[in-house]
Each structure stands twice: as C-alpha cells, then as structure tokens.
Amino acid sequence: MDLDLDAHLTTAEAAVADAVDLDALAIVDTELLGRKSALATVRSRLGDMDPDDRKVVGRRVNEVRTEVERLISERRAELAVGARAEVLEAERLDLTEFDRGRRLGHRHVVTQTWERLEDLFVGMGYTVAEGPEIEDEWHNFGALNFPLGHPARDMYDTLYVEYGEPQSTLLRTHTSPVQIRVMEEQEPPIYSIMPGRVFRSDTADATHMPVFHQIEGLVVDRGITFGDLAGTLDAFTTAYFGSEFTSRLRPSYFPFTEPSAEFDIRRPDGSWLELAGCGMVHPEVLRSCGLDPEDWSGFAFGFGLDRLALMRHGIDDLRELFRNDHRFLGQF
Ligand code: PHE
C-alpha cells in the first residue's frame, strides 16, 4: 500500500478548504476524485491485493472517497452563496438615487413609436382600429385570399391555438386580419391604421422575436390608385424621418394585394432599408368583405414597428425591447 489514506484525507480536507472560488474547487475536485486521482489509482489496484487486504483497503477507500465528496459539496454550496452575493453586489441598484416624487417613469420605446405613428396618421385624417390577437383562420388567411393549403401560408410561421378544429384558431401572424374586420364592420370610405402585436414561431435573436409589433394601414374609397399609395408612403417618410429621407417601391407578392410592393426608405447615407409590404387591395379581398371592386378600390400597407423604434434610438438588438430591464429602458 503506497497511499496513506488517513494522511490523504487530511491533505484533501486542506485543499478543499483552500479553494477560493468555484473554478478553483472544480480543479480540486478533479485532482481528488477524477480518473487520475490517487484514490482512483488505489482502487484500480485493489484487484492485485490478497482478498483480506482488499476488503479492508477497499472499504477505507470508499469511506475516504465519500468523505471527500461530502467536503467538496459542502464547500461548493458555501462558495455558491458567496458567488451569488457577489453578483447581487455588482448588480445592486442604489435606490436612494431615485429621488422619489421627481423621477418619473416614461413610456416604453415601442409605445412611444406606436403613439408617434398614430399621431402622424391621425394628423393625415386616419382613424385607429384594433382587432383580436387570437384570430380565426378566416380573418388571418382565408379572407386575405390565402386559400387553404396555399403555399403563401408558409411565409408565416404560424402559432396555432388548441381550440376548435385543428388549425382553425391561431395567434395572428400579421395585422392584416384587422383590415378584414374593419371592412366587415364599416362602409367605405375607410382611412384607418391598425397597430398591434403579432406572433410567429421564430427563435429570438437580434433581429427576430416570436412576438413583435406591426402597424397596418388601409384605405378604401372610390378611385384610389397606386399613385395614392406611393404618395401616402412618401409623405409618411418625410413626416416621420425628415426631409433628408426618400422612399421607393419594389415589386413583391402578397396574396391580398395586387399589385404588391415592398416599401424601402433611403437614408441620408444613401443606404436603403426595407420597411413595409404594401399594395392595392386585391379584388377578391374586397369581395370577401362584401364590397364590389367595380365601385371601390384601395391600398394597404404593413410596417414592422419595432424596427422603427430600434432605428430611432440606435439600438442594435431587438431582444432589448422585450427584456424590460429598467436600466436599459431608462435611457430613452
Ligand atoms: N401583412 C404583410 C406581412 O406581415 C404585410 C402587408 C400588409 C403587405 C399590407 C401588404 C399589405 O408580411
């Protein structure tokens, strides 16, 4: 026997007690209990001993091992408390900094953007409409000219709700179903915007969230043309971003608009940024809402609202908008 197990236990005890943090303890753990530890070596040699010795030494090795494990886990618990205290100290907020009564809260950046957009469109004569976040398949897709099984439905990673027939109820994937609700409830002329939360089964990263915000615009009147759409979006661009910004439309596809376009803005540095989908309301969509396309025409657009908030404040990670860390939000 070349290892004095009692002496080894004493050394082990000291080594565990000396580990100053969790990282150091992990190293001690491997040294004392790992595959190359003295204990493991003794254990592997048990087979060569004569049966009587093996019994005695084997039992003692196990006892020492159990004791070392206990010491390590005790020390780990101690160090974890310390580590937690350190984190708490580092993240401590001095509440006396908040001079009560004078330091007021303020609206969330997304709400600020939402209200600014509402103000702007209300100023252009639009009303504000809202619809439910849990939608039926008809309003989110069917009435918008996505027939069942149409591949364009795959553009949206839909989150379905277990209610009624399979896939009949969902979290709305865009604000466009509110167009349908407005046309169902109200005779034209319609000049409305529809801000709200929308949902897609996306993994959260710097530019995607499973919950985000859109603002929809819908105009239905007599003799509305594509020129009206382009002019409205251009007026919006200047009013919202300033006169150094211009806009353009690029051909695109949506089942509920024809023709369809993407709306980009041009920033003062010359770069383009895609902001919205838009187009002329498809005659089928008007018919679905009981409107005769011979009498009425219209345009629609749908913007991502969060991106406007990020741009305005130079924030580069969408997730910050949803973390609700007041040290972050307090800056805006
Ligand atoms: N609803 C579309 C989307 O989320 C955007 C859109 C709205 C396109 C209105 C055209 C007209 O992708």
Side-chain angles (χ1 to χ4, degrees):
M1 238 338 282
D2 45 14
L3 181 68
D4 177 340
L5 284 164
D6 297 318
H8 182 69
L9 181 57
T10 314
T11 322
E13 230 166 314
V16 171
D18 285 349
V20 290
D21 56 25
L22 290 167
D23 289 339
L25 185 64
I27 294 170
V28 172
D29 187 337
T30 318
E31 281 167 6
L32 293 176
L33 300 171
R35 270 189 299 120
K36 293 182 185 149
S37 63
L39 283 175
T41 311
V42 176
R43 224 185 213 176
S44 70
R45 289 192 195 140
L46 286 174
D48 303 335
M49 296 181 179
D50 68 68
D52 286 342
D53 281 353
R54 185 191 304 155
K55 219 174 169 183
V56 178
V57 177
R59 182 178 318 124
R60 188 60 190 144
V61 168
N62 283 339
E63 281 166 8
V64 170
R65 195 179 163 83
T66 310
E67 177 61 10
V68 171
E69 281 168 357
R70 193 187 61 77
L71 289 168
I72 290 180
S73 89
E74 227 175 67
R75 181 72 185 140
R76 183 176 295 121
E78 241 170 65
L79 289 172
V81 171
R84 172 89 185 121
E86 249 169 57
V87 171
L88 287 178
E89 179 57 24
E91 296 195 343
R92 191 165 64 99
L93 294 175
D94 181 356
L95 295 179
T96 59
E97 285 169 14
F98 297 92
D99 186 355
R100 258 204 264 176
R102 272 200 283 155
R103 176 140 180 157
L104 291 177
H106 62 72
R107 297 230 193 300
H108 191 281
V109 249
V110 171
T111 314
Q112 292 174 25
T113 306
W114 180 316
E115 291 182 347
R116 248 186 110 224
L117 289 163
E118 280 188 1
D119 285 350
L120 202 147
F121 280 103
V122 167
M124 289 164 76
Y126 286 63
T127 58
V128 180
E130 278 183 33
E133 293 177 347
I134 298 179
E135 260 299 1
D136 53 61
E137 173 282 318
W138 169 251
H139 285 93
N140 196 81
F141 289 128
L144 288 163
N145 197 33
F146 294 79
L148 270 175
H150 191 285
R153 289 197 184 200
D154 302 338
M155 288 168 25
Y156 303 91
D157 300 304
T158 310
L159 291 160
Y160 289 94
V161 175
E162 276 184 36
Y163 181 80
E165 293 290 305
Q167 309 214 333
S168 63
T169 310
L170 44 82
L171 296 179
R172 66 179 178 195
T173 59
H174 50 173
T175 42
S176 298
V178 192
Q179 287 184 33
I180 303 298
R181 294 188 176 273
V182 168
M183 286 187 274
E184 282 170 345
E185 280 156 27
Q186 190 184 315
E187 295 280 304
I190 294 168
Y191 291 80
S192 287
I193 52 158
M194 297 142 252
R197 273 203 300 189
V198 302
F199 307 83
R200 291 184 199 173
S201 100
D202 254 330
T203 307
D205 64 24
T207 53
H208 296 86
M209 281 294 291
V211 184
F212 56 103
H213 301 86
Q214 286 189 334
I215 182 163
E216 193 85 6
L218 174 70
V219 167
V220 181
D221 204 340
R222 293 184 200 279
I224 297 292
T225 67
F226 198 83
D228 295 314
L229 169 61
T232 302
L233 289 177
D234 210 44
F236 160 79
T237 305
T238 326
Y240 190 87
F241 296 101
S243 54
E244 343 60 281
F245 286 75
T246 53
S247 70
R248 74 175 173 197
L249 295 171
R250 272 180 299 123
S252 186
Y253 172 77
F254 299 97
F256 43 96
T257 47
E258 180 57 36
S260 303
E262 299 290 341
F263 163 65
D264 303 333
I265 56 163
R266 185 176 186 276
R267 294 182 277 214
D269 68 1
S271 62
W272 292 94
L273 180 74
E274 183 179 316
L275 268 196
C278 60
M280 300 305 290
V281 181
H282 196 292
E284 266 320 305
V285 174
L286 293 171
R287 270 188 219 106
S288 292
C289 301
L291 297 173
D292 185 346
E294 297 298 321
D295 294 337
W296 303 104
S297 60
F299 63 74
F301 54 83
F303 286 79
L305 200 149
D306 310 279
R307 184 179 281 184
L308 294 178
L310 296 185
M311 258 179 79
R312 179 164 194 82
H313 298 289
I315 304 167
D316 55 15
D317 192 328
L318 179 58
R319 288 168 292 194
E320 292 294 357
L321 297 184
F322 296 86
R323 277 194 186 120
N324 282 336
D325 184 330
H326 107 121
R327 288 167 297 184
F328 171 79
L329 293 172
Q331 303 172 76
F332 308 106

